[in-house]
């Protein structure tokens, strides 16, 4: 499991009865989590000091209840300085003696509670940010050209900011205009307003098809697809039917010197082994390199429990 254990302004304080108690900066939130099937005592005092509680409805969806919670607030994350930090599995060997020229490693995220329990950030993804941040920094490309990264289904830009902070030129694509605007604000808050980031509101599949026709290529690709969704013109996305065809299509955008390909999944049926098989079939079989997959998780305060939060599959080229 890859564990996002470098957070200072976020933590899971306790879990019980289908819910998790989290600290987001100065505020405590209680949100549902389908992985929490155990019934344990609510001993942590934070359960009674919460600032927001998302109540799931038996009819589907739910609603927030607030207790002295601001409309918006921010938390920060510091990308680790040393190679390999923040992960529980090993990736490719890194050479810190030849780093790229990174921006500041401090990221800042604007938060606000909105539809279906979300806050605008998936903190478990920090384990992946740390991984590709060091890949980009420590493996210069031929002729010293900048690493180009494509972030599909890019949401509010956590992965975009981590790649940009490492010195990459990033293309950020999401079908939601509101999410892209939110990502721009996070970039500005992180001191990356002038970084080489293209923010695009577009259907990810159609964008990839156009990039293939244009002959554009990328050195790193990140995919964080939803289980189900619709594009700006009503295009239907269902991950079980759409992910593998998109992976085969997007592989055509990888450059000859590509560093990595990352797929994230929050869908129960797409276990780590499924992601490994797809990456082996589409990427490793033709390009070589290595594939690894695993759960991503968040440590729970005061014990050895790590809360599973989805799965990730990684392809990376052999480093010699």
């Amino acid at each position: 499991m890859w564990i996002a254990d470098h957070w200072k302004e976020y933590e899971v304080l306790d879990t019980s009865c289908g819910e998790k108690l989290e600290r987001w900066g100065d505020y405590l939130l209680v949100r549902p989590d389908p992985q929490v099937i155990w019934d344990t005592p609510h001993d942590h005092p934070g359960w009674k000091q919460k600032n927001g509680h998302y109540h799931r409805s038996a009819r589907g969806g739910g609603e927030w209840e607030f207790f002295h919670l601001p409309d918006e607030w921010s938390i920060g994350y510091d990308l680790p300085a040393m190679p390999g930090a923040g992960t529980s599995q090993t990736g490719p060997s890194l050479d810190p003696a030849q780093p790229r020229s990174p921006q500041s490693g401090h990221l800042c995220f604007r938060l606000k509670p909105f539809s279906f329990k979300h806050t605008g950030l998936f903190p478990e993804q920090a384990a992946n940010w740390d991984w590709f941040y060091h890949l980009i920094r420590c493996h210069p490309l031929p002729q010293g050209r900048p690493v180009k990264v494509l972030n599909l289904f890019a949401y509010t830009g956590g992965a975009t900011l981590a790649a940009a902070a490492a010195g990459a030129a990033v293309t950020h694509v999401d079908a939601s205009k509101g999410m892209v605007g939110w990502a721009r604000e996070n970039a500005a808050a992180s001191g990356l307003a002038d970084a080489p980031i293209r923010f695009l509101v577009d259907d990810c599949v159609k964008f990839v098809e156009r990039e293939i026709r244009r002959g554009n290529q990328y050195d790193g690709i990140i995919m964080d697809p939803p289980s189900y969704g619709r594009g700006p013109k009503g295009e239907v996305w269902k991950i079980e039917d759409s992910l593998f065809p998109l992976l085969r299509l997007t592989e055509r955008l990888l450059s000859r010197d590509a560093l990595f390909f990352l797929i994230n999944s929050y869908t129960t049926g797409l276990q780590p082994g499924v992601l490994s098989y797809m990456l082996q079939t589409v990427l490793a079989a033709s390009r070589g390199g290595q594939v690894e997959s695993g759960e991503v998780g968040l440590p729970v305060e005061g014990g050895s429990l790590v809360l599973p939060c989805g799965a990730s599959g990684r392809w990376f080229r052999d480093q010699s």
Side-chain angles (χ1 to χ4, degrees):
M1 179 181 283
W2 293 303
I3 304 171
D5 55 5
H6 274 192
W7 283 99
K8 296 178 181 178
E9 298 185 39
Y10 169 86
E11 58 185 327
V12 180
L13 301 175
D14 199 6
T15 59
S16 180
C17 300
E19 295 183 316
K20 56 189 174 185
L21 172 67
E22 305 163 288
R23 179 179 68 86
W24 298 80
D26 295 330
Y27 303 101
L28 303 183
L29 301 182
V30 176
R31 299 192 298 157
D33 192 308
Q35 302 281 3
V36 182
I37 62 174
W38 46 89
D39 180 0
T40 51
H42 286 60
D43 292 333
H44 196 287
W47 292 105
K48 296 181 180 179
Q49 299 168 0
K50 58 185 178 288
N51 300 102
H53 191 169
Y54 188 89
H55 300 279
R56 178 166 285 168
S57 170
R59 298 186 300 274
E63 62 180 1
W64 282 98
E65 180 182 15
F66 299 123
F67 310 91
H68 308 293
L69 183 71
D71 293 336
E72 296 183 6
W73 72 104
S74 298
I75 64 171
Y77 181 73
D78 291 315
L79 292 155
M82 296 301 295
T87 62
S88 297
Q89 294 184 4
T90 58
S93 61
L94 301 176
D95 181 7
Q98 296 186 15
R100 298 197 62 77
S101 299
Q103 306 291 330
S104 167
H106 179 75
L107 307 180
C108 184
F109 302 99
R110 293 176 52 256
L111 304 175
K112 57 183 176 182
F114 72 111
S115 61
F116 194 62
K117 78 180 182 181
H118 295 306
T119 63
L121 183 66
F122 292 96
E124 65 275 6
Q125 285 301 317
N128 284 321
W129 305 341
D130 296 349
W131 172 71
F132 63 72
Y133 176 75
H134 286 293
L135 276 178
I136 295 168
R137 285 189 62 191
C138 299
H139 293 290
L141 297 178
Q143 289 79 50
R145 66 178 181 83
V147 174
K148 292 178 60 180
V149 172
L150 173 61
N151 187 10
L152 299 172
F153 309 97
Y155 196 52
T156 59
T160 293
L161 302 188
V170 187
T171 299
H172 172 112
V173 185
D174 196 279
S176 168
K177 183 177 180 180
M179 293 300 106
V180 173
W182 196 336
R184 286 182 180 273
E185 293 172 3
N186 284 336
S190 300
L192 294 166
D194 296 325
I197 304 173
R198 287 198 302 159
F199 292 100
L200 302 175
V201 180
D202 206 341
D203 175 78
C204 290
V205 177
K206 292 184 177 179
F207 176 79
V208 169
E209 291 172 340
R210 289 196 300 272
E211 288 291 88
I212 292 172
R213 293 195 295 268
R214 294 167 182 148
N216 288 335
Q217 292 189 319
Y218 296 88
D219 308 301
I221 296 177
I222 302 161
M223 268 189 208
D224 201 348
S227 298
Y228 179 86
R230 290 186 179 272
K233 296 183 179 180
E235 302 90 344
V236 175
W237 167 273
K238 188 176 180 182
I239 195 168
E240 295 87 346
D241 301 329
S242 305
L243 181 57
F244 188 69
L246 179 59
L247 174 59
R248 289 197 297 188
L249 193 68
T250 308
E251 185 270 340
R252 296 166 61 184
L253 292 179
L254 282 176
S255 69
R256 184 178 65 178
D257 303 309
L259 292 176
F260 69 92
F261 200 116
L262 169 67
I263 302 176
N264 297 312
S265 170
Y266 293 91
T267 303
T268 305
L270 293 183
Q271 299 298 321
V274 176
L275 300 178
S276 279
Y277 189 86
M278 289 194 297
L279 290 170
Q280 286 281 3
T281 301
V282 175
L283 291 171
S286 60
R287 292 175 171 266
Q290 301 179 49
V291 169
E292 59 185 11
S293 65
E295 291 183 295
V296 290
L298 291 164
V300 180
E301 181 195 59
S304 59
L305 176 66
V306 175
L307 184 64
C309 301
S312 292
R314 301 169 174 176
W315 171 86
F316 49 92
R317 67 178 171 90
D318 293 316
Q319 308 295 333
S320 58

